[in-house]
Amino acid sequence: SSRIQRTTMNIAQALKEKNRLLKKIKEIIPQITVNNRYRTDDTTKRESSDNLLKAYRVYILELAELKQKIAIASGPIQSKIALIGLLTEYKTTVESLNSSELPDNIPVAYGTNPKEVPVVVIIKNLKKQELIAETKIKIDQLQDEIDNFNAITQV
């Protein structure tokens, strides 16, 4: 009955369709609210909130069906999808490391010059940049594998 059941598509196309449905849902919700109650002297042409609510229900049912199909079809690459998320968190953590080797300035007392205290940096900037670059390469490789899988796998 739904467009999704009648259409053969790969995962990449299904993901685009999922995003279109999410956009439709996001757009229709405020219309339902606005069109449900209005003053009698308001002559603005309105879509019936009842019709909009029915359309909204169709969208969410299609979205649920599509998400299920994507999840089933994506089964073989779930570990790669999860690994991308984890590696992205790792990269963010490495990027956030303070690798400055400049001494810290510690205030001693009001009105006096701060005291310079040397610091120890375990992961220096060059190593930090190498770790980030290596992680980006791995993420890109995984994403390419996922994109290729999504292009050839039907939902």
Side-chain angles (χ1 to χ4, degrees):
S1 61
S2 75
R3 194 172 100 74
I4 295 159
Q5 290 172 333
R6 294 188 307 266
T7 306
T8 301
M9 61 179 95
N10 62 34
I11 294 174
Q13 293 166 322
L15 290 168
K16 286 181 183 176
E17 180 64 23
K18 180 188 85 162
N19 289 335
R20 278 192 288 274
L21 281 168
L22 287 169
K23 185 177 181 215
K24 285 180 179 181
I25 289 168
K26 186 178 177 183
E27 290 170 353
I28 203 168
I29 292 170
Q31 293 177 40
I32 294 167
T33 306
V34 167
N35 290 345
N36 194 52
R37 182 180 184 276
Y38 55 91
R39 291 190 345 232
T40 57
D41 62 347
D42 184 349
T43 58
T44 309
K45 178 151 174 47
R46 298 173 184 275
E47 179 72 33
S48 160
S49 57
D50 189 47
N51 290 342
L52 291 168
L53 204 54
K54 287 176 186 170
Y56 176 36
R57 184 172 168 78
V58 168
Y59 295 155
I60 61 173
L61 292 174
E62 286 182 1
L63 180 61
E65 179 185 341
L66 189 57
K67 282 182 161 190
Q68 179 185 21
K69 288 182 176 190
I70 292 168
I72 291 168
S74 299
I77 57 162
Q78 282 304 312
S79 62
K80 290 178 183 182
I81 293 169
L83 184 54
I84 281 182
L86 296 169
L87 286 173
T88 300
E89 288 177 24
Y90 170 83
K91 183 174 74 70
T92 301
T93 300
V94 173
E95 287 169 341
S96 72
L97 290 176
N98 183 349
S99 56
S100 171
E101 296 185 62
L102 297 174
D104 281 353
N105 291 317
I106 307 296
V108 178
Y110 181 75
T112 63
N113 288 330
K115 177 182 170 187
E116 279 194 357
V117 179
V119 297
V120 176
V121 177
I122 307 300
I123 298 174
K124 297 189 176 6
N125 198 49
L126 183 60
K127 179 65 176 175
K128 175 180 162 179
Q129 296 310 317
E130 288 172 6
L131 290 169
I132 292 168
E134 290 168 6
T135 306
K136 282 181 181 176
I137 289 168
K138 183 62 179 169
I139 289 170
D140 289 344
Q141 288 171 342
L142 288 166
Q143 189 61 58
D144 288 345
E145 291 174 30
I146 291 168
D147 290 345
N148 289 336
F149 182 88
N150 288 351
I152 62 170
T153 305
Q154 300 296 307
V155 296

